[in-house]
Amino acid sequence: MANQPATTALAAALSNWRRHLVAVSLVVVAFAVATMFASSTAYYGAALVAFAVWMGWFVLTVVDLIGRADF
């Protein structure tokens, strides 16, 4: 466990560009597929995928933050 201040740990946890790129790519693909089907069910499914991706991104970022910070 690192002994970094919380603000430094937060900046380090948010600096993982690969995590951001994967999350945005998954959401864009989900909405692109929904656009191809052009139905309300497809858009609802894409919104569910976007929410699940956001939750996964959030949990991974917070776990990274907690692992780095000295609270």
Side-chain angles (χ1 to χ4, degrees), residues 4-55:
Q4 296 179 353
T7 54
T8 306
L10 179 62
L14 290 175
S15 68
N16 188 342
W17 288 104
R18 188 178 345 179
R19 183 183 307 141
H20 305 320
L21 184 61
V22 168
V24 169
S25 298
L26 288 173
V27 170
V28 167
V29 166
F31 277 99
V33 170
T35 303
M36 287 182 354
F37 289 109
S39 70
S40 61
T41 306
Y43 286 115
Y44 181 75
L48 286 176
V49 168
F51 178 74
V53 167
W54 176 77
M55 287 301 295

